[in-house]
Every structure is written in structure tokens, then in C-alpha cells.
Amino acid sequence: MKKDAAILVVGGAGYIGSHTVRQLVAAGRKVVVLDNLVYGHADALVDDAVIFIEGDLGDRAVLDRVFTDHAISAVMHFAAYAYVGESVTDPAKYYGNNLAAPIVLLDAMRDHGVEVFIFSSTCATYGNPQYVPIDEQHPQNPINPYGASKLMLERVLADYSHAYGLKYAALRYFNAAGCSLDGLIGEDHNPETHLIPLVLEAAAGVREHITVFGTDYPTPDGSCIRDYIHVNDLARAHILAIDRLRGGADSFKCNLGTGIGHSVKELISAAERVTGKSIKVVLGERREGDPPELVAAPALAKELLGWEAEYKDLEMILKTAWAWISGPHKGHF
Ligand code: UDP
């Protein structure tokens, strides 16, 4: 590794990428961000030390310039499209951006001698769970093009690792949640489809109500159960993963979750407690493609990375999200 080598964070202006960039900078790492700003926000890059390049991860000319101009020792890749419904209606967009484009990135890495790659994979690669909590041995049968595109890239990584010596970590996130503790950056999707921002925007009066998608699931209160993992916990795991691979460990794949499930209804009640507001709830139909329960078995991440979630309390997670949504930066008030 070159002495002052930087970590290239692709998609560093997005939700999870920008939180990871802040942690990298706080840990004294040099960071170069590549982001096309389609879904990312330039103002999510709050540290002056970060070198920002606007460009696309599938653009080989841009990549050659990045790898030539900067001493890059490792790449973190966050720049995926993640709207499950859209992936069903426009799969070309998902296979193009989530599969074909990162292959261009991997080829550029290989040609420039960069070997370490951290990939944002997802529990959506498992498909409908056959059992919970879901461990890494669970069969991977994604039920939509989004999950399929992520699984296919996992397979590409395994083959590149075998053939070209790539060292990679595929980190399978459960439900990313929460925001930075100072409320400076946070979750800002457009359109927003995720439960926590929608619930909190209903609490803030920005939305009229929250709809519970399905109340007849085989769960204790009939609503879906998810494993909400704080974005700062996710970010920390990425840094540990880079350090593990640089230390000579083999490539690996592991879940990142708390191991604790919360139902949609529980989450809405917790949001009312955290915000002190009452939230109007509409009981709605199931959303297509939602498994009843997704909860991680997180033991492997602990074994490999010494990592476990610090934010195990849902109210704590919601407090950080509320700090962002009700604070001056998001601009709702
Ligand atoms: N959900 C809901 N109402 C909404 C948005 C989401 O009831 O307006 C539910 C959704 O069915 C799922 C959970 O909240 O069970 C989390 O959904 P989200 O879209 O945040 O993440 P996903 O689990 O799809 O990755």
C-alpha cells in the first residue's frame, strides 16, 4: 500500500456512503469520492478533506483518470439503485447500473492494480426467507431484479477473486436506518419509499399519514418485521472490513444486522414516543414482494470483524433520524 493512499468511495454522496465517508475522515483516512449525483447529494460531503469527483462508475475514462491521478488502495462501492418496485418495471436500469457498471469498475481496478473491494450487498439476495434469523448459509433466491442484480455481482466478485486475486467483502445489509448524531447528514431519497423517513415525516406533519402495508402477515401483530440497522454501524463495519482484507484475510460475505426484529406497528408506536407526536395510521394492503419477516443472524460479522450493532434500541435509532428530519438541514421546519 502506498503511504498516503486513499480509499475510493463510489457513491460516497449517497445515504450510507456519506456516513461512511465521515467515519473514514474522522479515522484519519484519505478519501476520494466518485458519485454521479443522480441520487447522491453534493452537500452530504461535509468534510473539506474529501476529494470529490463527479462521474459515473461505468465510465472507464473517468475511472482511468481517478486511478491515475490518485493513489487508491481500496474501493468501497455504494452506488446502486435500490428501488425494488422500479427494478421490476425497469430491470434494464438495475442490471445496467448495479451489475454492468460495477464490472467496468472492477476491470479498471484490476488494470490499475487495486485489489481491495467492499461491496454493499443486501438481504434481498436471500429472497423469501425459509427460516429466520437468516444466516449466510441461507439459500439465495432473490425475488426481484434488484436482489438479483446484487447477487449476480456477488458471483462476479467470487470469480474475479479466484481468477484475478481480487480481495472483497460482500456486506449484506438488512434495513439501513438512522442518521448522523449531529443531524448534519441523513436519509434523503427522492422519491422516499422507506418506512422510517415516511413515519417521521407523518409525525412532522409533512405527510398526512403513514400506511401500514399489510396487517394479515403471520407475525404477532400482523405487520411485517424487519431488522433496522443504524447507518453508523454499517459504516463502521466497512472500515473494519477494509482493515481485515488489508491484513491478509480471505474474501468474505457476511450479514450486517442487529439480530432484532421490529414490526411496522411497533415502529410507529416507538416513533410516537420519540417525537411526542401522534401519527395518523392507515391500515393498508400488502405491498407486493414484501416477505413477512427479515431478521439477520449477525454472528459471522462478530467473528470476522469483531463487529456488532451498537444501536440495538429502536428508539435510539429513531431519535437520530428525527434529529435529521426535524433539524435545519433537511429543511422541514
Ligand atoms: N412499509 C409500510 N409502509 C410504508 C413503507 C414501508 O408499511 O409506507 C413497510 C414495508 O412493507 C416493510 C417495512 O415497512 O415491511 C420496511 O420497508 P422499507 O421500504 O423501509 O424497507 P424494505 O424492507 O422494503 O427494504
Side-chain angles (χ1 to χ4, degrees):
M1 187 183 92
K2 291 169 198 155
K3 195 163 156 268
D4 60 345
I7 294 168
L8 174 64
V9 183
V10 181
Y15 171 40
I16 303 166
S18 61
H19 286 80
T20 306
V21 166
R22 285 190 84 185
Q23 279 194 18
L24 285 166
V25 171
R29 316 282 176 110
K30 222 173 135 183
V31 179
V32 175
V33 167
L34 175 69
D35 198 300
N36 62 11
L37 299 183
V38 169
Y39 290 118
H41 306 273
D43 57 7
L45 296 170
V46 291
D47 295 293
D48 292 339
V50 173
I51 298 169
F52 173 57
I53 298 155
E54 186 172 345
D56 202 278
L57 80 151
D59 184 336
R60 181 62 197 245
V62 170
L63 294 171
D64 283 336
R65 230 178 24 248
V66 171
F67 287 118
T68 305
D69 290 352
H70 304 277
I72 302 294
S73 60
V75 176
M76 291 182 178
H77 167 47
F78 295 97
Y81 294 152
Y83 291 110
V84 169
E86 184 187 54
S87 81
V88 176
T89 54
D90 192 2
K93 180 171 174 180
Y94 282 73
Y95 291 115
N97 188 71
N98 293 3
L99 181 63
I103 292 176
V104 177
L105 170 63
L106 290 170
D107 288 348
M109 285 177 61
R110 183 193 57 194
D111 296 346
H112 289 272
V114 181
E115 287 181 346
V116 174
F117 187 74
I118 312 297
F119 172 48
S120 308
S121 191
T122 166
C123 63
T125 60
Y126 294 117
N128 279 324
Q130 294 173 12
Y131 56 85
V132 279
I134 300 170
D135 58 23
E136 290 78 1
Q137 273 69 54
H138 188 287
Q140 288 179 291
N141 295 309
I143 56 167
N144 50 60
Y146 165 68
S149 69
K150 292 279 189 173
L151 176 59
M152 287 179 197
L153 196 64
E154 281 199 9
R155 301 252 159 92
V156 170
L157 292 175
D159 291 341
Y160 272 47
S161 171
H162 179 75
Y164 308 130
L166 176 78
K167 305 251 270 173
Y168 75 92
L171 303 178
R172 297 178 186 149
Y173 311 163
F174 281 65
N175 285 57
C179 298
S180 69
L181 300 188
D182 56 10
L184 198 56
I185 60 171
E187 189 168 10
D188 196 0
H189 300 111
N190 185 19
E192 188 53 78
T193 60
H194 293 102
L195 180 65
I196 291 179
L198 292 177
V199 167
L200 294 179
E201 285 177 4
V206 176
R207 291 177 196 268
E208 212 230 318
H209 64 266
I210 182 75
T211 304
V212 178
F213 292 152
T215 53
D216 59 350
Y217 284 101
T219 58
D221 68 17
S223 66
C224 282
I225 292 175
R226 294 288 180 273
D227 181 336
Y228 295 94
I229 175 78
H230 197 276
V231 66
N232 281 344
D233 279 327
L234 291 178
R236 193 164 46 85
H238 286 71
I239 299 174
L240 292 168
I242 280 212
D243 292 345
R244 179 177 167 84
L245 293 176
R246 278 177 171 171
D250 289 337
S251 298
F252 63 97
K253 299 164 262 199
C254 74
N255 290 338
L256 295 179
T258 62
I260 303 162
H262 294 284
S263 75
V264 173
K265 287 183 176 174
E266 267 172 40
L267 189 144
I268 295 169
S269 302
E272 288 188 318
R273 289 194 296 276
V274 165
T275 62
K277 317 248 182 208
S278 75
I279 298 170
K280 188 172 170 208
V281 177
V282 172
L283 302 180
E285 296 300 309
R286 292 181 178 198
R287 182 172 68 177
E288 203 186 335
D290 272 340
E293 184 170 1
L294 292 173
V295 176
L300 187 62
K302 182 155 192 194
E303 186 188 319
L304 298 181
L305 300 174
W307 176 95
E308 63 181 321
E310 279 175 6
Y311 297 79
K312 287 191 171 152
D313 173 18
L314 183 61
E315 288 193 20
M316 226 161 84
I317 294 176
L318 290 169
K319 261 183 206 153
T320 68
W322 182 239
W324 159 249
I325 282 178
S326 65
H329 301 287
K330 175 79 174 150
H332 277 336
F333 290 102

